[in-house]
Amino acid sequence: MRLPRARPGAAAVQVPGDKSISHRALILSAMLPEPTSIAGLNRGADVRATVAALRSLGATIHLPATANKAATVRGVAQLRDPGRALDCGNSGSTMRLLMGFAAGRVNAVLDGDASLRRRPMARVAIPLRLMGAEIELRAGEYAPVTMHRSPDGLEGVDYRLPVASAQLKSALLVAGLRAHGITRVSSPEPTRDHTERMLRLMHASVAIGPRARGRTSVVCTVRPSRLRGPKRINVPGDFSSAFYLLAAAAALPAGSLRLVGVGINPTRTAALAVARDMGVDIRIHNRRAQSGEPVGDLVVRGGAVLRAVDVRRSLVPLLIDEIPAICALAAIARGTSRIEGAAELRRKESDRIATTVELVRSFGAQARPRADGMTVTGTASLRSPATADTHGDHRIGLAAAILAAAVGAPLEIANAECIATSFPGFLRTWRAAFGSSRGSPRP
Ligand code: S3P
């Protein structure tokens, strides 16, 4: 992909629908007897993998080609055994959430691409087995995931998550909806709560406990529930995609960018506080609620002099997908920024500690990997490499775009197809944000 040079402007753009919420909207709607229409559904490859898998399991999903038309989902009570492996592509959310959705209900194999086959799945299989599901993993850890029907169904579980993972929490809550008894999940730190919010929208019995006193633990309890549909779900714009554009606008010497209709759920937006600490001018307008999620318009101005930041480990789960963008900003900030407590980055679409450090260094800033994070020292003399390689990781491609904006030059991005896993139409939105055209249709 040849990314055109970003120019300061005053554009307003929309980003695609939130990927996390899109997966949940599809999977939970597939448990409803009545049809649900989903507006703003993300049309990237990851969400399409969830659509295809749910269809193979028997759900009826209508996905109009144009993204501004709503999708419709009609659920299925008795899942069908799919004839062949369900291809989750590059999407960890698809695989892990579907493990929870399908546990005990079908005989099925879940598989994915080379990157997904390297990512840990035992963290989901172990508690699902405690609930009574029979699941096999390659080498005890990896996809393909082979799932067997449990004639007696599942039992609820009281489980302490070994990692603060929203995907894992959500897989167990979704399985718990169909289990006998109560499912209780406690997490070492809060993580994104889209599943809990959507379950409430669907009248499920879900309670979120306070942090246990003296322990950093967040408890979430779900009782077996018959869900009732909201009929229509409006998916907000994806905060993570918006944050990468926001950071690119902040890296420009002037101008402003308005990102319209972005999800601003506090369990997702810790990166805003970090960027503000670095000196970025960000305002939120038009705050409103949409299908149980807070939404607003983000307005960012370029031209601020940025300073280094230390990202506290307790914030990491609330900005996990934005760390490559924060590191890109750190590359132009004064001083050395530190990120700790982020070992999970090694288990994302790429080893994001290694790939982020490599990317930042290729632009001439200093960066050092640590076991659980990295340090980045900013420079005033950033320069572009001949090409920046995504290593098959969409967030690395988007972080490269921020650095290109900071340099003020076009950029050749190798292996850029992966950007469309989360951000379909990225180039079009980039041109609308930083080119000569003003505004963009929803991609
Ligand atoms: C996601 C949760 C996060 C995040 C991923 C999407 C979700 O993963 O990195 O992009 O939709 O729940 P973990 O929960 O594994 O940390």
Side-chain angles (χ1 to χ4, degrees):
M1 174 191 287
R2 187 169 170 78
L3 186 78
R5 175 183 166 192
R7 294 170 200 279
V13 297
Q14 274 188 300
V15 291
D18 187 278
K19 179 162 77 75
S20 287
I21 298 175
S22 293
H23 289 298
R24 288 153 172 83
L26 288 164
I27 290 171
L28 293 175
S29 297
M31 298 178 92
L32 297 171
E34 64 273 23
T36 309
S37 106
I38 308 174
L41 188 83
N42 183 295
R43 300 293 212 272
D46 281 10
V47 173
R48 284 178 186 276
T50 296
V51 168
L54 288 172
R55 281 178 177 152
S56 301
L57 291 166
T60 308
I61 303 178
H62 176 59
L63 192 66
T66 38
N68 54 9
K69 291 210 174 118
T72 46
V73 180
R74 190 182 287 272
V76 58
Q78 208 70 50
L79 296 187
R80 183 168 76 201
D81 286 355
R84 52 198 159 79
L86 303 175
D87 183 4
C88 303
N90 190 241
S91 175
S93 303
T94 303
M95 186 168 279
R96 296 187 178 124
L97 297 183
L98 285 179
M99 284 171 75
F101 173 76
R105 301 173 68 197
V106 279
N107 299 311
V109 175
L110 305 180
D111 205 353
D113 68 8
S115 149
L116 190 53
R117 278 178 163 219
R118 285 193 293 267
R119 298 179 63 189
M121 295 299 149
R123 54 175 66 179
V124 191
I126 289 167
L128 289 175
R129 285 183 192 131
L130 292 176
M131 297 175 83
E134 205 185 313
I135 302 174
E136 289 146 40
L137 302 175
R138 178 176 55 87
E141 181 60 275
Y142 303 108
V145 179
T146 306
M147 314 198 48
H148 301 277
R149 183 178 284 116
S150 318
D152 300 332
L154 302 184
E155 295 293 328
V157 71
D158 188 345
Y159 194 70
R160 196 172 164 75
L161 305 182
V163 278
S165 160
Q167 292 180 354
L168 171 50
K169 171 183 69 177
S170 301
L172 301 185
L173 294 179
V174 170
L177 288 171
R178 294 197 177 261
H180 307 291
I182 296 171
T183 297
R184 232 170 137 258
V185 181
S186 65
S187 171
E189 300 284 351
T191 57
R192 63 188 69 186
D193 65 359
H194 303 306
T195 305
E196 296 90 307
R197 285 172 185 261
M198 197 165 289
L199 284 174
R200 285 196 172 133
L201 197 68
M202 295 184 174
H203 306 275
S205 163
V206 44
I208 296 146
R211 279 174 169 242
R213 202 181 305 160
R215 294 191 351 227
T216 53
S217 178
V218 187
V219 181
C220 192
T221 306
V222 67
R223 290 169 194 276
S225 301
R226 187 171 286 278
L227 303 180
R228 274 187 292 125
K231 293 202 165 49
R232 187 176 175 88
I233 297 171
N234 288 308
V235 178
D238 194 304
F239 175 78
S240 300
S241 300
F243 188 78
Y244 283 77
L245 290 180
L246 178 155
L252 292 174
S256 68
L257 179 66
R258 177 182 285 259
L259 295 143
V260 180
V262 180
I264 48 169
N265 179 322
T267 61
R268 281 289 290 284
T269 49
L272 286 183
V274 169
R276 282 180 174 139
D277 278 356
M278 297 180 87
V280 181
D281 176 352
I282 306 165
R283 300 193 189 176
I284 305 180
H285 299 281
N286 288 329
R287 287 177 187 266
R288 54 205 185 269
Q290 200 173 295
S291 300
E293 291 278 347
V295 175
D297 299 347
L298 303 177
V299 179
V300 56
R301 294 192 177 280
V305 176
L306 304 187
R307 51 188 174 267
V309 75
D310 282 346
V311 175
R312 274 184 290 126
R313 89 185 26 241
S314 63
L315 284 185
V316 164
L318 310 180
L319 48 69
I320 187 78
D321 293 337
E322 289 70 63
I323 290 175
I326 292 169
C327 289
L329 288 178
I332 53 166
R334 274 199 197 139
T336 298
S337 299
R338 287 175 200 81
I339 292 163
E340 293 181 336
E344 271 295 297
L345 288 178
R346 297 207 182 270
R347 325 196 94 182
K348 296 293 177 190
E349 286 83 332
S350 66
D351 172 347
R352 268 189 202 153
I353 293 180
T355 50
T356 303
V357 164
E358 184 195 305
L359 177 77
V360 166
R361 282 181 178 164
S362 75
F363 277 82
Q366 282 177 36
R368 274 184 191 221
R370 299 161 59 120
D372 67 343
M374 59 278 266
T375 57
V376 177
T377 306
T379 172
S381 52
L382 217 58
R383 49 165 168 71
S384 292
T387 51
D389 196 326
T390 66
H391 296 285
D393 185 336
H394 54 141
R395 306 279 181 219
I396 300 300
L398 294 168
I402 300 170
L403 289 160
V407 172
L411 180 68
E412 204 61 54
I413 304 180
N415 293 314
E417 325 70 54
C418 60
I419 293 175
T421 57
S422 62
F423 201 147
F426 168 68
L427 210 46
R428 194 162 20 106
T429 309
W430 179 266
R431 287 203 184 95
F434 304 121
S436 46
S437 62
R438 289 224 165 169
S440 78
R442 191 157 181 142

